[in-house]
Amino acid sequence: MAMNDSVNILNSAYLAVEYIDSFLPDNPLQQPFKNAWNYMLDNYTKFQIATWGSLIVHEVSYFLLCVPGFIFQFIPYMQKYKIQQDKPETWEKQWKCFKTLLFNHFFIQLPLICGTYYFTEYFNIPYGWEEMPRWYVLVAQCFGCAVIEDAWHYFLHRLLHHKRIYKYIHKVHHEFVSPFGMQAEYAHPLETLILGTGFFIGIVVFCNHVVLLWAWVICRLMETIDVHSGYDVPLNPLHLVPFYAGARFHDFHHMNFIGNYASTFTWWDRIFGTDSQFVAYQEKEKKKQCVTKK
């Protein structure tokens, strides 16, 4: 009975969104995107699309999303939004981070990406334009992937902080007490595999088209680079996402090496009380600001 009710609610929500979508103006980018997609299908094999396409999407998205945070360090006005103002980025740290990233991307992640084609073939996942899900379905699927990844990240990340194993794996990621965007995937190779597994669980559950792979890659990178940016910028559109943790939440984790273990949302830390120090810290900061204003 409960299952039927859930299905009916989902169907109703789907129909409601579809009805609203019918009143929206045509997307001017849809036709160019369709032409580009069909050109890709006509000129490249599925293996090339799945492997090299996924690599390009990851690399281009990652470093483009890092650009704003990188530029902020040279703009005096933006320094008031930097969370740890007493710990500026250094060229030495950024260069070290960049070298480690290249190793992880091409020697750890690329071999995994090479399995994308075989994954899509095994599960019979389509590539065609006609089978591509509508934008609102894609958004819902990415949100579902984020919820699953967040749960995996919370419990495994918390485990990696256990005193018996912390210094062997997760300590690498915490080399930078004040994080910056490019550091999002700076980690021990084992951590890349352990925490990265959460990314693929949602794909296994929801994937009905290869475009979800790329959409979820972009969404996940957008989130993790934002929370590692070191800047709490106002009017950040990601703050519109319900229960979104954000940069200040994760920055506290890097400052104190404890608590705030979730990757995207705040609910797991709230449920298990691992955000208690962060909540106390926020209240203390608010009191300071009130005293300063007086």
Side-chain angles (χ1 to χ4, degrees):
M1 186 68 179
M3 179 66 76
N4 289 334
D5 289 342
S6 298
V7 171
N8 289 334
I9 291 172
L10 289 173
N11 286 336
S12 299
Y14 180 85
L15 290 172
V17 174
E18 197 171 44
Y19 178 74
I20 294 171
D21 183 56
S22 65
F23 289 98
L24 296 176
D26 292 336
N27 183 353
L29 298 177
Q30 182 172 335
Q31 191 59 45
F33 180 60
K34 179 180 179 180
N35 295 338
W37 190 271
N38 286 329
Y39 177 86
M40 178 183 70
L41 294 176
D42 293 339
N43 291 275
Y44 299 96
T45 66
K46 284 186 176 182
F47 179 82
Q48 290 172 325
I49 293 170
T51 305
W52 303 118
S54 298
L55 178 66
I56 291 170
V57 167
H58 180 272
E59 295 305 303
V60 171
S61 299
Y62 191 90
F63 289 106
L64 276 181
L65 289 167
C66 287
V67 168
F70 179 78
I71 294 175
F72 288 167
Q73 66 184 309
F74 304 110
I75 304 175
Y77 176 80
M78 295 304 297
Q79 296 313 301
K80 65 180 180 180
Y81 300 122
K82 183 169 172 58
I83 300 166
Q84 298 187 56
Q85 297 185 10
D86 59 331
K87 297 182 179 68
E89 299 90 341
T90 66
W91 284 110
E92 182 183 0
K93 289 181 179 179
Q94 291 177 91
W95 176 240
K96 182 181 180 181
C97 178
F98 181 71
K99 289 188 293 184
T100 302
L101 279 178
L102 290 182
F103 176 84
N104 285 349
H105 285 185
F106 290 97
F107 292 95
I108 306 298
Q109 295 181 15
L110 180 57
L112 296 174
I113 290 173
C114 287
T116 304
Y117 166 74
Y118 302 101
F119 168 80
T120 58
E121 287 295 292
Y122 182 81
F123 288 100
N124 198 29
I125 294 171
Y127 288 63
W129 175 263
E130 297 302 325
E131 297 89 351
M132 190 179 293
R134 301 294 296 274
W135 66 269
Y136 44 85
V137 175
L138 204 57
V139 169
Q141 289 174 324
C142 286
F143 184 79
C145 287
V147 171
I148 292 172
E149 189 281 334
D150 185 68
W152 176 272
H153 191 100
Y154 175 84
F155 292 104
L156 272 294
H157 182 197
R158 189 173 178 180
L159 178 64
L160 288 175
H161 271 270
H162 192 281
K163 60 183 179 180
R164 291 187 178 180
I165 60 175
Y166 170 78
K167 64 181 179 180
Y168 299 109
I169 302 175
H170 193 53
K171 187 178 180 180
V172 173
H173 184 68
H174 277 280
E175 283 183 26
F176 304 110
V177 177
S178 178
F180 48 90
M182 192 168 56
Q183 191 232 337
E185 291 187 348
Y186 179 88
H188 189 285
L190 274 177
E191 178 174 340
T192 300
L193 294 173
I194 293 168
L195 296 185
T197 300
F199 173 89
F200 294 101
I201 297 174
I203 292 297
V204 173
V205 174
F206 295 109
C207 196
N208 58 351
H209 195 279
V210 72
V211 76
L212 176 62
L213 287 167
W214 297 350
W216 172 222
V217 164
I218 294 170
C219 288
R220 178 69 181 111
L221 290 179
M222 191 182 302
E223 177 276 327
T224 191
I225 290 170
D226 176 60
V227 302
H228 284 92
S229 67
Y231 291 85
D232 187 18
V233 181
L235 303 179
N236 185 337
L238 288 175
H239 291 166
L240 298 175
V241 178
F243 301 100
Y244 182 66
R248 195 168 290 277
F249 186 86
H250 192 71
D251 209 279
F252 183 83
H253 174 78
H254 277 265
M255 279 194 286
N256 297 274
F257 304 97
I258 191 169
N260 294 10
Y261 297 111
S263 60
T264 307
F265 305 107
T266 57
W267 50 60
W268 288 113
D269 284 287
R270 289 183 182 180
I271 290 171
F272 291 100
T274 46
D275 67 340
S276 58
Q277 291 189 25
F278 176 66
V279 172
Y281 172 78
Q282 281 188 311
E283 291 176 354
K284 186 178 178 180
E285 288 297 305
K286 286 180 181 178
K287 288 180 181 178
K288 282 184 180 180
Q289 290 177 1
C290 290
V291 171
T292 303
K293 288 179 180 179
K294 289 180 181 178

